[in-house]
Amino acid sequence: MEAEFKGKFAVVLPAGGLGKRMGGSVPKQLMLLGGKPVYQYSLETFLAMEEIAEVVMAVPSDWKSHFEDDLKVLQNKNLNKLKIVEGGAERWQSVKNGVSALTSAAEYVLVHDVARPFISETIVRELCKTLVEKGACLVAKPAVDTVKIAEDGLVKSTVDRRTVWLAQTPQAARIDLLKELYGRIEKEPLQFTPTDEASILEYFQVPVYIVKGESRNDKLTTPEDFEIFSKRV
């Protein structure tokens, strides 16, 4: 698959959030996990893959120079694939900045949260295969718990969990498609704040397919998560 898909894909890593739920003064993507910053785990995974032509990381504007200095000491022969840009006010705007900065001949883009440090190459390759064969897609986990709809602490209904999937990343689409949709949003702003790429694609009625994810690809969000993730390194 590497030879067939070599250089067909680009990656955007939105790292613009400040991780307020984690607490502290340092963005969670820069906190040390197993001796190195959280963001470097997924970055190194994508840099090592021949399918990936380029990686753009969107970071907080106040921390851009910190990331640049941090990467100077990273011993990685594939760092020439990487470009760093400033993120936006919202996650989707950081992704937009990243997509706009792509310069390779790649046809498709994968968007991955650096707060999911343990994404596997196996899942990435399955996502790439699905993307080429079917179109836009995302990684997601099937729900295992019973899902309740509630309001003001009162249960209103129960959802059939067989239809419920918990969205993860990467989420992926053709680069030209995302650029087209961002252009449409500029002309007619959305009336909601997208929390992921799939919600934008869904809004514009683009079919989005699922690639089954795993718990190892969960998101690092709270200090408690940090303790759990430290055992996975």
Side-chain angles (χ1 to χ4, degrees):
M1 180 173 170
E2 291 95 330
E4 180 185 358
F5 288 161
K6 184 175 180 178
K8 273 186 172 287
F9 306 91
V11 172
V12 170
L13 300 176
L18 295 178
K20 294 178 181 178
R21 281 176 287 183
M22 183 65 71
S25 57
V26 177
K28 67 182 175 185
Q29 57 268 34
L30 283 170
M31 294 175 68
L32 294 183
L33 178 67
K36 65 181 180 181
V38 169
Y39 79 91
Q40 288 186 12
Y41 286 89
S42 57
L43 173 62
E44 289 176 342
T45 296
F46 289 115
L47 289 178
M49 298 182 69
E50 290 192 353
E51 295 92 338
I52 308 302
E54 91 182 289
V55 179
V56 175
M57 189 162 60
V59 306
S61 57
D62 293 345
W63 289 85
K64 186 170 182 286
S65 60
H66 184 101
F67 276 91
E68 291 170 340
D69 291 341
D70 195 45
L71 286 164
K72 286 177 183 177
V73 298
L74 182 63
Q75 300 296 315
N76 191 306
K77 64 180 181 180
N78 296 312
L79 270 181
N80 60 319
K81 287 186 182 183
L82 177 65
K83 180 186 299 182
I84 298 179
V85 299
E86 291 185 5
E90 301 289 345
R91 179 192 183 281
W92 76 270
Q93 293 168 323
S94 292
V95 174
K96 177 178 178 290
N97 290 355
V99 171
S100 298
L102 295 173
T103 57
S104 70
E107 300 175 46
Y108 308 92
V109 61
L110 283 60
V111 181
H112 184 68
D113 296 329
V114 295
R116 300 182 188 273
F118 302 125
I119 180 64
S120 74
E121 290 190 11
T122 299
I123 288 179
V124 172
R125 292 194 171 102
E126 184 61 31
L127 187 81
C128 290
K129 183 172 181 287
T130 302
L131 181 55
V132 172
E133 292 179 353
K134 293 186 176 181
C137 53
L138 80 161
V139 177
K141 287 193 314 182
V144 295
D145 296 319
T146 299
V147 180
K148 303 290 186 181
I149 302 299
E151 185 177 328
D152 296 327
L154 178 65
V155 172
K156 296 293 186 180
S157 62
T158 301
V159 178
D160 183 352
R161 69 183 179 195
R162 292 174 297 179
T163 68
V164 177
W165 289 77
L166 309 178
Q168 297 184 326
T169 64
Q171 302 190 5
R174 293 195 328 271
I175 294 171
D176 60 349
L177 172 61
L178 275 184
K179 286 184 175 180
E180 175 195 339
L181 298 184
Y182 289 140
R184 292 171 66 177
I185 291 172
E186 284 184 6
K187 294 177 182 177
E188 190 172 337
L190 299 173
Q191 299 304 305
F192 68 100
T193 301
T195 55
D196 63 0
E197 289 60 59
S199 59
I200 294 175
L201 294 164
E202 292 159 31
Y203 177 81
F204 288 104
Q205 299 183 324
V206 177
V208 180
Y209 294 88
I210 286 178
V211 172
K212 189 175 181 181
E214 59 185 8
S215 295
R216 186 170 171 81
N217 190 37
D218 285 346
K219 190 174 184 180
L220 196 164
T221 303
T222 67
E224 290 75 19
D225 294 335
F226 214 90
E227 292 180 17
I228 296 170
F229 280 50
S230 295
K231 298 175 183 177
R232 299 178 182 175
V233 176

